[in-house]
Amino acid sequence: MRSETSQERRKQVTSEYILRPRRWFLLLEIEGFELTKISIAGMVQHAIQTLMGKVGCGIHSAEVVKICSPNTAIISLPADSLIPLWGSLTLMRTFRDRHCRILITKASPFLMTICESLS
């Protein structure tokens, strides 16, 4: 029988723990509206309420981190809200009786990766 060297043993060791991020950051491209922090927060709430009702609106939240240009913004949200928020923002077509389109151009648990794509 062949004995294992310490290098071979190190290669076999894998982590049993996968760290799950607590927050995600989304880079949004919004067409059809003048962006302010209040209007973006209203769009997010409207999208969630339209798809999931008032209970969903109370459970899933997001906050505006920065408005980068006239039509792009970064929002931060809890990891549990990533999938419901992504779906509701993608399906939203009107806000305050005006057509709007929200594209999620980048999603990451790290704010720096979102900021790198802006420059």
Side-chain angles (χ1 to χ4, degrees):
M1 230 191 227
R2 185 177 153 235
S3 66
E4 295 179 344
T5 64
S6 63
Q7 279 188 337
E8 289 175 3
R9 271 187 261 139
R10 272 189 242 135
K11 288 179 184 176
Q12 292 176 358
V13 175
T14 59
S15 175
E16 295 178 11
Y17 303 101
I18 298 174
L19 296 177
R20 199 170 151 225
R22 292 185 179 177
R23 298 201 69 77
W24 278 79
F25 299 94
L26 301 178
L27 179 63
L28 304 178
E29 190 175 314
I30 302 171
E31 297 175 3
F33 264 89
E34 184 179 320
L35 298 184
T36 63
K37 286 190 174 192
I38 295 171
S39 67
I40 296 170
M43 285 180 192
V44 170
Q45 281 187 334
H46 175 73
I48 295 170
Q49 189 170 358
T50 302
L51 194 63
M52 295 175 226
K54 290 184 179 182
V55 174
C57 193
I59 294 172
H60 304 292
S61 64
E63 59 187 66
V64 180
V65 176
K66 184 178 181 181
I67 298 173
C68 305
S69 70
N71 65 341
T72 59
I74 299 172
I75 64 170
S76 170
L77 53 127
D80 297 339
S81 300
L82 177 66
I83 295 172
L85 250 164
W86 194 313
S88 58
L89 288 173
T90 303
L91 293 173
M92 190 173 96
R93 295 289 174 240
T94 59
F95 179 64
R96 296 184 184 155
D97 298 326
R98 288 176 53 193
H99 290 286
C100 71
R101 185 172 89 166
I102 299 177
L103 297 171
I104 299 171
T105 54
K106 194 162 191 174
S108 174
F110 307 106
L111 182 59
M112 287 302 292
T113 58
I114 300 287
C115 294
E116 284 176 357
S117 65
L118 293 174
S119 55

